[in-house]
Amino acid sequence: MAAQRANGKQRLILAGVGLLVASVAIYAAFRLFAPPPPEMDTAYNTVSRDGLYQVMFEPEMQPVPLNETHDWVVVITTPAGAAVEDAQISIDGGMPDHGHGLPTEPEASENPGEGRYRVEGMRFNMGGHWEIRIGIDAEPGLDEAVFNLDL
């Protein structure tokens, strides 16, 4: 009789653990495949955080590919539209909902003029919401532009 009660308790505990694991898996799948909130700005053109720059990016491949390294062209102007030359550019980002960064370390490789900067080494290893931060250090000052991508 005592053995039957112990067996019953073990089954109940296992069922509870199974329910908990299934619940966590369903929640994680929902978060992974949920679209970004509708108020999220996914434009390829934005004003930097402190308003020093107008920043636009142009992926060299459309649509932005998954699991394929590609380049972008970042265009930086002042709010009045003057090209920003000789800026130091840094690229960072990741998936805020997943807590990880980019799988590569993109770098600005050249400045062909007119405020244009080639960024090499962009890659996104999965679909979902990505946040890309472009740091800019030029004559107007240090600032950052943030872009949201829904891939």
Side-chain angles (χ1 to χ4, degrees), residues 23-94:
S23 298
V24 168
I26 289 169
Y27 176 75
F30 173 77
R31 292 283 304 212
L32 179 63
F33 296 108
E39 68 274 359
M40 184 177 297
D41 181 9
T42 57
Y44 288 11
N45 192 342
T46 192
V47 175
S48 60
R49 180 187 58 232
D50 295 333
L52 298 178
Y53 305 102
Q54 184 73 36
V55 184
M56 179 179 73
F57 72 87
E58 302 167 351
E60 291 197 337
M61 298 176 78
Q62 286 289 347
V64 174
L66 290 178
N67 293 314
E68 198 170 326
T69 303
H70 60 283
D71 297 346
W72 285 9
V73 173
V74 175
V75 180
I76 304 170
T77 64
T78 65
V84 174
E85 300 296 338
D86 301 319
Q88 296 298 312
I89 308 295
S90 63
I91 312 323
D92 193 13

Side-chain angles (χ1 to χ4, degrees), residues 3 17-18 58 71 74-75 101 109 114 139 146:
V17 168
E58 302 167 351
D71 297 346
V74 175
V75 180
S109 62
E114 299 177 355
E139 183 57 36
V146 178

Side-chain angles (χ1 to χ4, degrees), residues 6 11 16 19 26 35 66 83 93-94 96 104 111 116-117 122 126 132 141:
R11 286 187 189 142
L19 184 59
I26 289 169
L66 290 178
T104 58
N111 173 1
R116 301 171 70 79
Y117 298 83
M122 296 298 295
M126 65 177 64
I132 303 301

